[in-house]
Amino acid sequence: AQKITQTQPGMFVQEKEAVTLDCTYDTSDPSYGLFWYKQPSSGEMIFLIYQGSYDQQNATEGRYSLNFQKARKSANLVISASQLGDSAMYFCAMRESVNDMRFGAGTRLTVKP
Amino acid sequence: DVKVTQSSRYLVKRTGEKVFLECVQDMDHENMFWYRQDPGLGLRLIYFSYDVKMKEKGDIPEGYSVSREKKERFSLILESASTNQTSMYLCASSLEFVGGPMNTEAFFGQGTRLTVV
Protein backbone atom coordinates (compact mmCIF):
# COMPACT_ATOMS: atom_id res chain seq x y z
CA ALA A 1 0.00 0.00 0.00
CA GLN A 2 1.20 3.51 -0.81
CA LYS A 3 2.39 5.13 2.39
CA ILE A 4 3.15 8.60 1.06
CA THR A 5 0.83 10.32 -1.38
CA GLN A 6 1.56 13.49 -3.28
CA THR A 7 -1.46 14.25 -5.44
CA GLN A 8 -0.05 17.21 -7.40
CA PRO A 9 2.22 16.07 -10.23
CA GLY A 10 2.86 19.71 -11.18
CA MET A 11 2.27 23.12 -9.66
CA PHE A 12 2.79 26.67 -10.91
CA VAL A 13 3.29 29.72 -8.74
CA GLN A 14 4.02 33.35 -9.47
CA GLU A 15 7.29 34.71 -8.19
CA LYS A 16 6.99 36.22 -4.69
CA GLU A 17 3.76 34.38 -3.95
CA ALA A 18 3.29 31.51 -1.48
CA VAL A 19 2.60 27.94 -2.55
CA THR A 20 1.47 24.80 -0.72
CA LEU A 21 2.59 21.34 -1.79
CA ASP A 22 0.39 18.54 -0.48
CA CYS A 23 1.50 15.34 1.24
CA THR A 24 -0.59 12.73 3.02
CA TYR A 25 0.76 9.64 4.71
CA ASP A 26 -0.37 6.39 6.21
CA THR A 27 1.08 4.76 9.31
CA SER A 28 0.00 3.03 12.48
CA ASP A 29 3.33 3.65 14.16
CA PRO A 30 2.94 6.33 16.89
CA SER A 31 6.53 7.51 16.40
CA TYR A 32 7.45 8.69 12.93
CA GLY A 33 9.12 11.53 11.11
CA LEU A 34 8.16 13.45 8.01
CA PHE A 35 10.72 15.03 5.71
CA TRP A 36 10.69 17.23 2.64
CA TYR A 37 13.41 17.23 0.00
CA LYS A 38 14.07 19.42 -3.00
CA GLN A 39 15.59 18.04 -6.20
CA PRO A 40 16.67 20.72 -8.68
CA SER A 41 17.42 19.89 -12.30
CA SER A 42 21.01 19.12 -11.30
CA GLY A 43 19.66 15.99 -9.57
CA GLU A 44 21.00 16.43 -6.05
CA MET A 45 18.61 15.74 -3.17
CA ILE A 46 18.47 18.62 -0.71
CA PHE A 47 16.92 18.13 2.72
CA LEU A 48 14.57 21.03 3.56
CA ILE A 49 12.56 20.42 6.71
CA TYR A 50 11.58 17.80 9.29
CA GLN A 51 8.51 17.23 11.47
CA GLY A 52 8.31 14.64 14.24
CA SER A 53 5.04 12.95 15.10
CA TYR A 54 5.23 14.16 18.69
CA ASP A 55 6.17 17.74 17.84
CA GLN A 56 3.56 20.17 19.14
CA GLN A 57 4.47 22.98 16.80
CA ASN A 58 4.72 23.10 13.03
CA ALA A 59 8.30 23.07 11.78
CA THR A 60 9.76 26.13 10.09
CA GLU A 61 13.05 26.67 8.27
CA GLY A 62 13.41 30.08 6.70
CA ARG A 63 10.88 30.37 3.88
CA TYR A 64 9.79 26.76 4.38
CA SER A 65 7.13 25.70 6.85
CA LEU A 66 5.32 22.47 7.36
CA ASN A 67 1.56 22.46 7.93
CA PHE A 68 1.26 19.33 10.06
CA GLN A 69 -2.25 18.04 10.65
CA LYS A 70 -1.80 14.79 12.54
CA ALA A 71 -5.45 13.73 12.68
CA ARG A 72 -5.71 14.14 8.91
CA LYS A 73 -2.30 12.54 8.37
CA SER A 74 -1.14 15.40 6.24
CA ALA A 75 2.18 17.24 6.16
CA ASN A 76 1.97 19.96 3.56
CA LEU A 77 4.99 22.07 2.65
CA VAL A 78 4.45 25.80 2.43
CA ILE A 79 6.99 27.92 0.56
CA SER A 80 6.59 31.62 1.14
CA ALA A 81 7.77 34.38 -1.20
CA SER A 82 8.63 32.00 -4.05
CA GLN A 83 11.83 32.58 -5.98
CA LEU A 84 12.84 31.42 -9.43
CA GLY A 85 15.38 29.13 -7.80
CA ASP A 86 12.58 27.26 -6.07
CA SER A 87 11.65 25.61 -9.38
CA ALA A 88 12.40 21.93 -8.75
CA MET A 89 10.92 18.55 -7.85
CA TYR A 90 9.78 18.30 -4.23
CA PHE A 91 9.49 15.00 -2.40
CA CYS A 92 7.76 14.17 0.85
CA ALA A 93 9.16 11.25 2.85
CA MET A 94 8.37 9.36 6.03
CA ARG A 95 10.44 7.36 8.46
CA GLU A 96 8.92 4.86 10.85
CA SER A 97 10.63 2.99 13.67
CA VAL A 98 11.53 0.05 11.43
CA ASN A 99 14.36 2.17 10.03
CA ASP A 100 13.09 2.43 6.48
CA MET A 101 12.41 5.69 4.66
CA ARG A 102 9.80 5.99 1.94
CA PHE A 103 9.08 8.75 -0.52
CA GLY A 104 6.12 10.04 -2.46
CA ALA A 105 5.92 10.44 -6.24
CA GLY A 106 6.92 14.10 -6.03
CA THR A 107 5.56 17.44 -7.21
CA ARG A 108 7.23 19.50 -9.91
CA LEU A 109 7.06 23.17 -8.94
CA THR A 110 7.54 25.86 -11.55
CA VAL A 111 7.96 29.46 -10.44
CA LYS A 112 6.90 31.99 -13.06
CA PRO A 113 8.61 35.39 -13.30
CA ASP B 1 29.79 17.52 5.89
CA VAL B 2 28.29 14.13 5.24
CA LYS B 3 29.48 12.66 2.03
CA VAL B 4 27.80 9.84 0.18
CA THR B 5 29.67 8.78 -2.92
CA GLN B 6 28.37 6.56 -5.68
CA SER B 7 31.03 4.93 -7.79
CA SER B 8 29.67 5.94 -11.20
CA ARG B 9 27.56 8.80 -12.50
CA TYR B 10 26.65 7.04 -15.74
CA LEU B 11 26.72 3.36 -16.67
CA VAL B 12 25.76 1.51 -19.82
CA LYS B 13 25.43 -2.26 -19.53
CA ARG B 14 24.19 -5.06 -21.73
CA THR B 15 21.17 -7.22 -21.02
CA GLY B 16 22.14 -10.22 -18.92
CA GLU B 17 25.25 -8.66 -17.42
CA LYS B 18 25.88 -8.68 -13.69
CA VAL B 19 26.03 -5.07 -12.53
CA PHE B 20 27.47 -3.69 -9.31
CA LEU B 21 26.56 -0.23 -8.02
CA GLU B 22 28.75 0.88 -5.16
CA CYS B 23 28.01 3.42 -2.47
CA VAL B 24 30.29 4.69 0.29
CA GLN B 25 29.47 7.05 3.16
CA ASP B 26 31.93 8.73 5.50
CA MET B 27 29.76 9.62 8.51
CA ASP B 28 29.56 6.29 10.31
CA HIS B 29 25.83 6.05 9.60
CA GLU B 30 24.09 2.85 10.59
CA ASN B 31 21.37 3.01 7.93
CA MET B 32 21.90 2.86 4.21
CA PHE B 33 19.34 2.77 1.41
CA TRP B 34 19.05 2.09 -2.30
CA TYR B 35 16.29 3.71 -4.33
CA ARG B 36 15.44 3.90 -7.98
CA GLN B 37 13.89 7.04 -9.38
CA ASP B 38 11.61 6.99 -12.39
CA PRO B 39 9.48 9.86 -13.76
CA GLY B 40 6.05 9.95 -12.18
CA LEU B 41 6.94 7.25 -9.66
CA GLY B 42 9.20 9.18 -7.33
CA LEU B 43 11.82 7.33 -5.32
CA ARG B 44 11.05 3.69 -4.71
CA LEU B 45 12.89 1.79 -2.01
CA ILE B 46 14.73 -1.28 -3.27
CA TYR B 47 16.62 -2.40 -0.17
CA PHE B 48 17.85 -0.89 3.04
CA SER B 49 20.36 -1.93 5.65
CA TYR B 50 20.33 -1.06 9.33
CA ASP B 51 23.69 -2.61 10.25
CA VAL B 52 26.62 -4.51 8.77
CA LYS B 53 25.43 -7.71 7.10
CA MET B 54 21.81 -6.80 7.89
CA LYS B 55 19.39 -5.99 5.10
CA GLU B 56 15.69 -5.61 4.55
CA LYS B 57 13.67 -5.69 1.35
CA GLY B 58 11.98 -2.52 0.30
CA ASP B 59 9.06 -2.20 -2.07
CA ILE B 60 10.71 -3.39 -5.30
CA PRO B 61 13.50 -5.89 -4.47
CA GLU B 62 12.85 -8.25 -7.38
CA GLY B 63 15.85 -8.55 -9.65
CA TYR B 64 18.18 -6.93 -7.13
CA SER B 65 20.36 -7.99 -4.23
CA VAL B 66 22.58 -6.04 -1.85
CA SER B 67 25.72 -6.49 0.18
CA ARG B 68 26.94 -4.67 3.25
CA GLU B 69 30.20 -6.19 4.46
CA LYS B 70 31.50 -2.97 5.98
CA LYS B 71 29.58 -0.19 7.68
CA GLU B 72 30.58 2.46 5.18
CA ARG B 73 29.81 0.53 2.02
CA PHE B 74 26.50 -0.64 0.58
CA SER B 75 26.42 -2.34 -2.81
CA LEU B 76 23.47 -2.91 -5.10
CA ILE B 77 23.73 -5.89 -7.42
CA LEU B 78 21.72 -6.57 -10.54
CA GLU B 79 22.24 -10.29 -11.03
CA SER B 80 21.16 -10.26 -14.67
CA ALA B 81 20.43 -6.78 -15.94
CA SER B 82 17.29 -6.23 -17.95
CA THR B 83 16.08 -3.26 -19.95
CA ASN B 84 13.36 -2.51 -17.40
CA GLN B 85 16.09 -1.79 -14.88
CA THR B 86 17.17 1.25 -16.85
CA SER B 87 16.76 4.03 -14.30
CA MET B 88 18.40 6.52 -11.95
CA TYR B 89 19.69 4.80 -8.82
CA LEU B 90 20.15 6.78 -5.63
CA CYS B 91 22.02 5.69 -2.54
CA ALA B 92 21.47 7.34 0.84
CA SER B 93 22.62 7.01 4.43
CA SER B 94 21.33 8.20 7.78
CA LEU B 95 21.59 7.81 11.50
CA GLU B 96 19.42 5.06 12.87
CA PHE B 97 15.95 5.59 14.25
CA VAL B 98 16.67 5.12 17.96
CA GLY B 99 14.30 6.82 20.36
CA GLY B 100 12.76 8.85 17.59
CA PRO B 101 13.20 10.16 14.05
CA MET B 102 14.87 13.48 14.88
CA ASN B 103 18.15 14.02 13.03
CA THR B 104 17.59 10.94 10.90
CA GLU B 105 17.26 12.70 7.57
CA ALA B 106 18.81 10.81 4.70
CA PHE B 107 21.90 12.11 2.91
CA PHE B 108 22.08 11.22 -0.75
CA GLY B 109 24.74 10.44 -3.27
CA GLN B 110 24.80 12.08 -6.68
CA GLY B 111 22.99 9.19 -8.35
CA THR B 112 23.93 6.66 -11.01
CA ARG B 113 22.06 6.74 -14.28
CA LEU B 114 22.05 3.16 -15.51
CA THR B 115 21.12 2.28 -19.06
CA VAL B 116 20.66 -1.38 -19.96
CA VAL B 117 20.77 -2.06 -23.70
Side-chain angles (χ1 to χ4, degrees), chain A residues 60-74:
Chain A
T60 60
E61 287 287 348
R63 293 186 300 111
Y64 304 108
S65 61
L66 207 152
N67 183 1
F68 181 46
Q69 298 188 48
K70 195 170 181 177
R72 293 185 177 184
K73 293 188 176 178
S74 75

Side-chain angles (χ1 to χ4, degrees), chain A residues 35 47 50 95, chain B residues 29 94-96 100-107:
Chain A
F35 303 81
F47 166 65
Y50 156 82
R95 291 205 75 165
Chain B
H29 283 167
S94 77
L95 292 171
E96 62 180 340
M102 187 179 292
N103 296 323
T104 65
E105 67 268 23
F107 294 84

Side-chain angles (χ1 to χ4, degrees), chain A residues 29-35 50-54 94-101, chain B residues 30-31 33 50 94-105:
Chain A
D29 195 331
S31 181
Y32 55 89
L34 298 154
F35 303 81
Y50 156 82
Q51 180 85 43
S53 59
Y54 292 121
M94 179 173 67
R95 291 205 75 165
E96 300 169 285
S97 57
V98 291
N99 270 314
D100 61 359
M101 188 169 197
Chain B
E30 294 83 6
N31 294 166
F33 310 86
Y50 52 91
S94 77
L95 292 171
E96 62 180 340
F97 191 120
V98 174
M102 187 179 292
N103 296 323
T104 65
E105 67 268 23

Side-chain angles (χ1 to χ4, degrees), chain A residues 27-84:
Chain A
T27 181
S28 56
D29 195 331
S31 181
Y32 55 89
L34 298 154
F35 303 81
W36 277 91
Y37 285 82
K38 173 184 179 181
Q39 188 182 46
S41 56
S42 56
E44 62 192 300
M45 291 286 284
I46 302 167
F47 166 65
L48 295 177
I49 194 166
Y50 156 82
Q51 180 85 43
S53 59
Y54 292 121
D55 293 344
Q56 296 296 313
Q57 292 189 315
N58 287 342
T60 60
E61 287 287 348
R63 293 186 300 111
Y64 304 108
S65 61
L66 207 152
N67 183 1
F68 181 46
Q69 298 188 48
K70 195 170 181 177
R72 293 185 177 184
K73 293 188 176 178
S74 75
N76 299 337
L77 178 70
V78 180
I79 305 175
S80 64
S82 297
Q83 302 172 356
L84 296 178

Side-chain angles (χ1 to χ4, degrees), chain A residues 17 26 36 42 67 85 88 90 111:
Chain A
E17 291 185 353
D26 182 30
W36 277 91
S42 56
N67 183 1
Y90 288 82
V111 181

